[in-house]
Amino acid sequence: MITPGSLYNCFSKFVFDGDTLTLDSQGAELRVRLRWIDTPEAQKSGQNSTDPKILKHWEWAQKAKVALMNLVAEKAIITVPIEKDQFDRWVCDCYLNKVSVATNIQILQCKAGMGVSFLPFNRFAYNTRELSLLRGIITETASANRKKLGLWSEPDLILPYEFKKLNLS
């Protein structure tokens, strides 16, 4: 049984995309969505396009997935589950080896330009760790954007939240 707010020692089992993965916690599978970030959307089965912007978005989705795979491969991950989302995934904060802003996976994805901040729109009583995490995500997203790192190097990239609004079939 998973308890929100508790720490779990895990290892990566499978990476779905740049912000979703399956972790192994002492033999139990935990499907995780990284909290407060969003990465480009992968091409879904049956989706096709000749639009260069859409093709570029899908290309960056693959790059974000590979970046996450490289980040978590064969490393101990500390996971803090927060809540379940509409897809029955645990929305989590994840860290490499220890709980620290410097080892937070969401921040590292944003710092590399592989993700964007996806800010909460609810009333939330942030603890000190969460405030540091949120500040780090925003800061590193802005820094990657200014430096034109990763997906920010694309002048006309469709951001993940914009891409989700498109009607692709």
Side-chain angles (χ1 to χ4, degrees):
M1 170 141 179
I2 302 297
T3 305
S6 296
L7 301 178
Y8 293 88
N9 294 311
C10 303
F11 287 93
S12 175
K13 203 168 173 185
F14 184 80
V15 173
F16 289 93
D17 59 28
D19 56 29
T20 307
L21 63 162
T22 298
L23 301 176
D24 181 304
S25 177
Q26 300 176 350
E29 273 193 10
L30 189 62
R31 189 156 181 217
V32 168
R33 169 68 166 80
L34 298 173
R35 182 162 72 149
W36 295 337
I37 72 165
D38 208 1
T39 61
E41 297 297 309
Q43 183 177 7
K44 310 256 187 303
S45 179
Q47 287 182 331
N48 292 300
S49 180
T50 56
D51 183 331
K53 287 183 176 184
I54 290 173
L55 296 174
K56 190 55 78 172
H57 186 92
W58 286 333
E59 183 181 316
W60 278 105
Q62 185 60 31
K63 289 178 183 181
K65 176 181 179 176
V66 169
L68 183 58
M69 290 168 61
N70 291 335
L71 193 58
V72 301
E74 300 180 22
K75 294 185 182 108
I77 299 168
I78 298 172
T79 300
V80 183
I82 306 302
E83 63 188 358
K84 288 261 192 145
D85 70 5
Q86 69 267 28
F87 303 109
D88 203 36
R89 303 173 296 190
W90 278 99
V91 177
C92 298
D93 298 332
C94 295
Y95 302 84
L96 300 173
N97 295 319
K98 66 178 182 171
V99 177
S100 160
V101 168
T103 63
N104 177 267
I105 293 172
Q106 295 106 288
I107 291 174
L108 294 170
Q109 278 288 79
C110 291
K111 185 175 185 174
M114 294 297 149
V116 301
S117 56
F118 186 68
L119 303 178
F121 296 103
N122 57 5
R123 295 180 188 191
F124 195 79
Y126 302 105
N127 62 36
T128 303
R129 180 189 62 79
E130 291 171 322
L131 281 173
S132 295
L133 174 58
L134 194 53
R135 184 175 27 253
I137 289 169
I138 294 167
T139 300
E140 293 303 340
T141 298
S143 177
N145 188 340
R146 277 192 309 278
K147 295 174 183 175
K148 302 299 179 211
L149 297 176
L151 60 86
W152 298 110
S153 66
E154 295 295 332
D156 295 327
L157 185 76
I158 303 169
L159 292 173
Y161 81 94
E162 296 168 327
F163 192 88
K164 290 174 185 168
K165 295 177 186 177
L166 298 177
N167 186 14
L168 299 175
S169 45

